[in-house]
mmCIF file of all heavy atoms in Angstrom:
data_model
loop_
_atom_site.group_PDB
_atom_site.id
_atom_site.type_symbol
_atom_site.label_atom_id
_atom_site.label_comp_id
_atom_site.label_asym_id
_atom_site.label_seq_id
_atom_site.Cartn_x
_atom_site.Cartn_y
_atom_site.Cartn_z
ATOM 1 N N GLU A 75 29.823 32.630 -18.394
ATOM 2 C CA GLU A 75 29.852 31.162 -18.415
ATOM 3 C C GLU A 75 29.227 30.626 -19.717
ATOM 4 O O GLU A 75 29.792 29.772 -20.388
ATOM 5 C CB GLU A 75 29.086 30.634 -17.201
ATOM 6 C CG GLU A 75 29.096 29.128 -17.100
ATOM 7 C CD GLU A 75 28.440 28.639 -15.822
ATOM 8 O OE1 GLU A 75 27.969 29.480 -15.026
ATOM 9 O OE2 GLU A 75 28.399 27.414 -15.635
ATOM 10 N N LEU A 76 28.052 31.143 -20.062
ATOM 11 C CA LEU A 76 27.391 30.750 -21.314
ATOM 12 C C LEU A 76 27.423 31.937 -22.259
ATOM 13 O O LEU A 76 27.429 33.087 -21.813
ATOM 14 C CB LEU A 76 25.929 30.359 -21.048
ATOM 15 C CG LEU A 76 25.709 29.138 -20.171
ATOM 16 C CD1 LEU A 76 24.232 28.985 -19.848
ATOM 17 C CD2 LEU A 76 26.227 27.878 -20.856
ATOM 18 N N TYR A 77 27.416 31.651 -23.550
ATOM 19 C CA TYR A 77 27.470 32.747 -24.517
ATOM 20 C C TYR A 77 26.185 33.568 -24.514
ATOM 21 O O TYR A 77 25.092 33.017 -24.635
ATOM 22 C CB TYR A 77 27.688 32.204 -25.939
ATOM 23 C CG TYR A 77 27.625 33.314 -26.970
ATOM 24 C CD1 TYR A 77 28.693 34.179 -27.123
ATOM 25 C CD2 TYR A 77 26.485 33.529 -27.737
ATOM 26 C CE1 TYR A 77 28.636 35.228 -28.033
ATOM 27 C CE2 TYR A 77 26.428 34.576 -28.652
ATOM 28 C CZ TYR A 77 27.500 35.419 -28.790
ATOM 29 O OH TYR A 77 27.449 36.453 -29.676
ATOM 30 N N THR A 78 26.325 34.856 -24.356
ATOM 31 C CA THR A 78 25.225 35.787 -24.665
ATOM 32 C C THR A 78 25.871 36.951 -25.413
ATOM 33 O O THR A 78 27.037 37.300 -25.177
ATOM 34 C CB THR A 78 24.490 36.307 -23.411
ATOM 35 O OG1 THR A 78 25.442 36.749 -22.471
ATOM 36 C CG2 THR A 78 23.602 35.247 -22.793
ATOM 37 N N THR A 79 25.117 37.564 -26.294
ATOM 38 C CA THR A 79 25.697 38.489 -27.262
ATOM 39 C C THR A 79 26.397 39.691 -26.629
ATOM 40 O O THR A 79 27.567 39.958 -26.905
ATOM 41 C CB THR A 79 24.586 38.985 -28.215
ATOM 42 O OG1 THR A 79 23.910 37.847 -28.722
ATOM 43 C CG2 THR A 79 25.165 39.781 -29.349
ATOM 44 N N GLU A 80 25.679 40.426 -25.786
ATOM 45 C CA GLU A 80 26.205 41.718 -25.339
ATOM 46 C C GLU A 80 27.459 41.590 -24.462
ATOM 47 O O GLU A 80 28.470 42.236 -24.738
ATOM 48 C CB GLU A 80 25.084 42.504 -24.640
ATOM 49 C CG GLU A 80 25.480 43.864 -24.124
ATOM 50 C CD GLU A 80 25.995 44.814 -25.212
ATOM 51 O OE1 GLU A 80 25.654 44.642 -26.383
ATOM 52 O OE2 GLU A 80 26.766 45.733 -24.859
ATOM 53 N N PRO A 81 27.441 40.745 -23.423
ATOM 54 C CA PRO A 81 28.662 40.648 -22.608
ATOM 55 C C PRO A 81 29.880 40.195 -23.420
ATOM 56 O O PRO A 81 30.972 40.744 -23.265
ATOM 57 C CB PRO A 81 28.307 39.593 -21.551
ATOM 58 C CG PRO A 81 26.827 39.548 -21.521
ATOM 59 C CD PRO A 81 26.348 39.925 -22.881
ATOM 60 N N TYR A 82 29.678 39.229 -24.307
ATOM 61 C CA TYR A 82 30.807 38.744 -25.108
ATOM 62 C C TYR A 82 31.293 39.832 -26.072
ATOM 63 O O TYR A 82 32.489 39.978 -26.307
ATOM 64 C CB TYR A 82 30.405 37.477 -25.891
ATOM 65 C CG TYR A 82 30.674 36.200 -25.133
ATOM 66 C CD1 TYR A 82 30.083 35.967 -23.895
ATOM 67 C CD2 TYR A 82 31.530 35.225 -25.638
ATOM 68 C CE1 TYR A 82 30.313 34.789 -23.200
ATOM 69 C CE2 TYR A 82 31.783 34.051 -24.951
ATOM 70 C CZ TYR A 82 31.172 33.839 -23.733
ATOM 71 O OH TYR A 82 31.432 32.680 -23.042
ATOM 72 N N THR A 83 30.350 40.614 -26.613
ATOM 73 C CA THR A 83 30.757 41.701 -27.515
ATOM 74 C C THR A 83 31.612 42.703 -26.741
ATOM 75 O O THR A 83 32.660 43.147 -27.220
ATOM 76 C CB THR A 83 29.513 42.398 -28.118
ATOM 77 O OG1 THR A 83 28.710 41.409 -28.748
ATOM 78 C CG2 THR A 83 29.896 43.452 -29.138
ATOM 79 N N GLN A 84 31.170 43.028 -25.514
ATOM 80 C CA GLN A 84 31.939 43.996 -24.712
ATOM 81 C C GLN A 84 33.359 43.476 -24.454
ATOM 82 O O GLN A 84 34.336 44.215 -24.561
ATOM 83 C CB GLN A 84 31.234 44.248 -23.372
ATOM 84 C CG GLN A 84 29.958 45.068 -23.517
ATOM 85 C CD GLN A 84 29.294 45.357 -22.177
ATOM 86 O OE1 GLN A 84 29.906 45.277 -21.115
ATOM 87 N NE2 GLN A 84 28.017 45.702 -22.225
ATOM 88 N N VAL A 85 33.464 42.186 -24.132
ATOM 89 C CA VAL A 85 34.782 41.606 -23.831
ATOM 90 C C VAL A 85 35.690 41.661 -25.054
ATOM 91 O O VAL A 85 36.836 42.114 -24.977
ATOM 92 C CB VAL A 85 34.625 40.138 -23.343
ATOM 93 C CG1 VAL A 85 35.961 39.415 -23.371
ATOM 94 C CG2 VAL A 85 34.022 40.090 -21.961
ATOM 95 N N VAL A 86 35.183 41.211 -26.197
ATOM 96 C CA VAL A 86 36.042 41.122 -27.385
ATOM 97 C C VAL A 86 36.407 42.523 -27.883
ATOM 98 O O VAL A 86 37.556 42.770 -28.273
ATOM 99 C CB VAL A 86 35.378 40.256 -28.487
ATOM 100 C CG1 VAL A 86 36.227 40.215 -29.738
ATOM 101 C CG2 VAL A 86 35.155 38.834 -27.966
ATOM 102 N N VAL A 87 35.453 43.459 -27.825
ATOM 103 C CA VAL A 87 35.750 44.838 -28.244
ATOM 104 C C VAL A 87 36.850 45.413 -27.340
ATOM 105 O O VAL A 87 37.798 46.051 -27.813
ATOM 106 C CB VAL A 87 34.470 45.714 -28.210
ATOM 107 C CG1 VAL A 87 34.817 47.192 -28.293
ATOM 108 C CG2 VAL A 87 33.541 45.316 -29.347
ATOM 109 N N LYS A 88 36.753 45.146 -26.040
ATOM 110 C CA LYS A 88 37.755 45.680 -25.103
ATOM 111 C C LYS A 88 39.131 45.070 -25.401
ATOM 112 O O LYS A 88 40.143 45.779 -25.463
ATOM 113 C CB LYS A 88 37.338 45.368 -23.659
ATOM 114 C CG LYS A 88 38.281 45.943 -22.619
ATOM 115 C CD LYS A 88 37.660 45.878 -21.239
ATOM 116 C CE LYS A 88 38.501 46.629 -20.225
ATOM 117 N NZ LYS A 88 39.701 45.899 -19.831
ATOM 118 N N ALA A 89 39.142 43.740 -25.619
ATOM 119 C CA ALA A 89 40.425 43.068 -25.897
ATOM 120 C C ALA A 89 41.063 43.636 -27.162
ATOM 121 O O ALA A 89 42.266 43.917 -27.200
ATOM 122 C CB ALA A 89 40.202 41.563 -26.042
ATOM 123 N N ILE A 90 40.247 43.829 -28.196
ATOM 124 C CA ILE A 90 40.794 44.336 -29.469
ATOM 125 C C ILE A 90 41.262 45.785 -29.290
ATOM 126 O O ILE A 90 42.327 46.174 -29.785
ATOM 127 C CB ILE A 90 39.737 44.229 -30.602
ATOM 128 C CG1 ILE A 90 39.448 42.760 -30.906
ATOM 129 C CG2 ILE A 90 40.212 44.957 -31.854
ATOM 130 C CD1 ILE A 90 38.334 42.513 -31.906
ATOM 131 N N THR A 91 40.499 46.582 -28.560
ATOM 132 C CA THR A 91 40.867 47.984 -28.361
ATOM 133 C C THR A 91 42.202 48.082 -27.618
ATOM 134 O O THR A 91 43.044 48.921 -27.929
ATOM 135 C CB THR A 91 39.759 48.708 -27.558
ATOM 136 O OG1 THR A 91 38.511 48.412 -28.186
ATOM 137 C CG2 THR A 91 39.961 50.200 -27.531
ATOM 138 N N GLU A 92 42.416 47.181 -26.653
ATOM 139 C CA GLU A 92 43.669 47.228 -25.896
ATOM 140 C C GLU A 92 44.840 46.616 -26.658
ATOM 141 O O GLU A 92 45.944 47.137 -26.654
ATOM 142 C CB GLU A 92 43.484 46.485 -24.565
ATOM 143 C CG GLU A 92 42.656 47.280 -23.583
ATOM 144 C CD GLU A 92 42.321 46.472 -22.330
ATOM 145 O OE1 GLU A 92 42.848 45.342 -22.164
ATOM 146 O OE2 GLU A 92 41.527 46.967 -21.535
ATOM 147 N N GLU A 93 44.588 45.496 -27.321
ATOM 148 C CA GLU A 93 45.689 44.756 -27.973
ATOM 149 C C GLU A 93 46.041 45.323 -29.349
ATOM 150 O O GLU A 93 47.143 45.129 -29.829
ATOM 151 C CB GLU A 93 45.303 43.276 -28.124
ATOM 152 C CG GLU A 93 45.188 42.523 -26.810
ATOM 153 C CD GLU A 93 46.518 42.450 -26.081
ATOM 154 O OE1 GLU A 93 47.494 41.953 -26.655
ATOM 155 O OE2 GLU A 93 46.554 42.911 -24.921
ATOM 156 N N LYS A 94 45.075 45.927 -30.016
ATOM 157 C CA LYS A 94 45.249 46.480 -31.373
ATOM 158 C C LYS A 94 45.869 45.475 -32.348
ATOM 159 O O LYS A 94 46.919 45.718 -32.948
ATOM 160 C CB LYS A 94 46.099 47.750 -31.345
ATOM 161 C CG LYS A 94 45.440 48.861 -30.577
ATOM 162 C CD LYS A 94 46.261 50.111 -30.551
ATOM 163 C CE LYS A 94 45.677 51.115 -29.608
ATOM 164 N NZ LYS A 94 45.505 50.587 -28.225
ATOM 165 N N PRO A 95 45.210 44.332 -32.533
ATOM 166 C CA PRO A 95 45.740 43.356 -33.502
ATOM 167 C C PRO A 95 45.415 43.792 -34.932
ATOM 168 O O PRO A 95 44.427 44.495 -35.158
ATOM 169 C CB PRO A 95 44.965 42.079 -33.156
ATOM 170 C CG PRO A 95 43.671 42.584 -32.600
ATOM 171 C CD PRO A 95 43.947 43.890 -31.919
#
Side-chain angles (χ1 to χ4, degrees):
E75 182 175 1
L76 296 172
Y77 175 76
T78 48
T79 309
E80 180 59 24
Y82 270 59
T83 305
Q84 288 182 19
V85 165
V86 177
V87 166
K88 183 167 188 284
I90 293 174
T91 310
E92 286 173 7
E93 293 296 303
K94 296 180 189 56

